[in-house]
Amino acid sequence: QVQLMESGGGSVQSGESLRLSCAVSASTYGTGCVAWFRRSQGKEREGVAILDVEGTPTYVASGKGRFTNSRDNAKNSLYLQMNNLKPEETAMYFCAARSHYNPSCPPGAISYAGAFSYWGKGTQVTVST
């Protein structure tokens, strides 16, 4: 069974940066459509970043220019670099992968968590003022 495990979260102050990592147990799941979602206390789950099979990223509007989504196939890992973090971005961050049987990103995947079959347990990001 494929497993994903996030790391790199922590507590930072507003304006600081973090780099999240996601280790994927099988490369076939990491090379397709992959994503980062987040969930804040009392809020809906929100798509943060999508990376399609060609390596083209899509970001939540508030993260454009500050977030960078990437992968390293040799290490079976995904990364989310988040610069100049804001307090409202405090959340549990999850990485997710789509089934390798249908690896392409569907339209609007950043707003459709159901497109992803496999999820990590999350890593907490806390941004203080």
Side-chain angles (χ1 to χ4, degrees):
Q1 184 175 7
V2 64
Q3 294 182 336
L4 291 78
M5 182 175 292
E6 304 91 341
S7 61
S11 297
V12 299
Q13 294 192 359
S14 179
E16 295 183 335
S17 302
L18 284 173
R19 188 195 193 204
L20 306 183
S21 298
C22 174
V24 184
S25 65
S27 62
T28 53
Y29 294 89
T31 56
C33 179
V34 294
W36 292 89
F37 283 77
R38 65 189 174 198
R39 185 175 65 197
S40 300
Q41 292 292 333
K43 296 183 178 180
E44 297 283 342
R45 181 170 50 188
E46 177 184 36
V48 179
I50 299 292
L51 194 65
D52 70 14
V53 295
E54 297 180 347
T56 301
T58 302
Y59 302 101
V60 63
S62 61
K64 292 179 180 177
R66 297 186 296 116
F67 294 177
T68 303
N69 195 12
S70 63
R71 59 159 56 93
D72 185 338
N73 289 334
K75 297 181 179 179
N76 293 339
S77 297
L78 314 174
Y79 304 98
L80 179 64
Q81 177 71 39
M82 300 189 291
N83 295 329
N84 193 21
L85 283 161
K86 302 176 180 180
E88 58 265 36
E89 292 164 342
T90 293
M92 184 73 75
Y93 284 71
F94 302 86
C95 62
R98 190 164 165 82
S99 171
H100 68 279
Y101 294 107
N102 191 11
S104 299
C105 291
I110 197 168
S111 61
Y112 180 45
F116 302 92
S117 299
Y118 306 100
W119 296 79
K121 295 185 181 297
T123 185
Q124 179 67 37
V125 171
T126 302
V127 186
S128 302
T129 58

